[in-house]
Amino acid sequence: MTRPSGPRTETVRLLRVTDANLRHNHLYVNGHFDFFPPDCVGGSKGASRGQTINIQLDGLGQTISTDIGCDSKTGKPRGFFRARGWVRRFFEHHGVKPGTTLALERLSERAYRLSVRRSEQTAPLECAEFFAGIGLVRLALERQGWRVVFANDIDPKKAEMYRHNWPKDDHLVVGDIHAIKADELPSCALFTASFPCNDLSIAGRWEGLHGKESSSFWGLVRILRDLGERRPPLVMLENVVGFLMSHGGRDFEKALLALNELGYTVDAIILNATHWAPQSRPRLFVIAKRDEGRETRSYALISDARPEALFRFIVSHPNIRWDIRDLPSLPPPRARLADIVEDLPDDDPRWWDPKRADYFMSQMSERHKEQARQMIAGNSYSYATAFRRVRHGKSMAELRTDGIAGCLRTPRGGSGRQILLKAGRGKYWVRLLTARECARLQGVPDSYVIDVPLNQALFGFGDAVCVPAVEWIAQHYLTPLASTLVPRQTCG
């Protein structure tokens, strides 16, 4: 577990307030643990709680005592100060808005002062999201200080989950992207589009960009064309890695050339959710930068964000106007499946009855059965996931025991539902992953509201993005680039 390593020599840290901070009345300190005494991180209650620090709240004439709590299941620091009431009072007193910069000053080893740096307050960068789904791109961008001012998705069931989490917003438009008119859209710094992957994935129909669903990409292109001078300086696309290979790479080439024709240079990266969450979910991201058709050439190197297949595509397509940005190395994978599992009682009705569980075990190949037997014989409980797949006309259960879940899918038929095996001490239990577990596999905090039936939630999360992966892109790519392209106004 990562805990504070002890105070450094600097006396001030700056914290940028996000929409998520304001919505949940939390003050996030991820990345700042080293600024506090190591013992201020503690458990959830009683003697296990951390040793408190004192924070003077500028303008309120009040000093509060707080610590940094840990998740009761994983033991990991939760990334924000305990309690919300004092944070809410501070935000309300100072009229804090998204983009506000706060200064946390260390006065002594256990004493701090929190104040607002008004001279550094800037309005948040604004974004419009298409194919918004259940709002996970928005969640990621908000956590990096952006503000979503327009959203669109065609699926009313996903929109229901979106609205449960942003109930006061009225800018979500439910309907076909082809019906959206450019003059209905606000001007903003970024368009995001996680357009349907059904025609581009191995599990789909391989109909490509002109398939029934993935052709909606051209609806986005039409909107960008119609916007004219109001086109956003940045566009981010997200899709399955199969997009890179669809029709021998011709679909990907067409999409990038279409962006070139609109005055954008392009870059591409591949990120796997395993760097942030225990789920194998590689996804292809395209970042397009408006350059008004100026000649731009840059060259890619093979890296963890641009693996060999993507590198070869880039170097073999000099007809595309590329603008490749240097990026830091991806964080090493650390999360394990056990970190996201809900601690359900052994008699919880979501566990399958013995007959159904035994049938599941009988569907495994001999190799997977041996892996399951080793888990059952273990001295402690361990976890694995499985999908059912048809092999040679027979339904088989294929077990994954490396501590990583398979890629979440939309549950069309039984094969899309991921199964959890808990085993050890001579026993085993079997059930489907819960909606909350699927959310955690996408890096979604437990504050995200899930108030829909299981299948509806599984559809939503199966079609969504890994939140910390998009946060990484925002932190290392979108925000630094947008800050150079978009004039920023101060906000009082």
Side-chain angles (χ1 to χ4, degrees), residues 344-365:
L344 303 184
D346 293 344
D347 60 353
D348 188 287
R350 283 171 285 189
W351 292 111
W352 293 351
D353 60 53
K355 182 177 180 181
R356 187 179 180 188
D358 287 346
Y359 177 69
F360 163 76
M361 300 291 276
S362 73
Q363 289 185 295
M364 296 182 193
S365 67

Side-chain angles (χ1 to χ4, degrees), residues 234-236 265-269 285-289 473 477-478:
L234 292 172
V235 176
M236 182 178 76
T265 54
V266 292
D267 192 1
I269 57 176
F285 294 87
V286 172
I287 297 93
K289 171 188 170 186
I473 298 173
Y477 206 136
L478 299 176

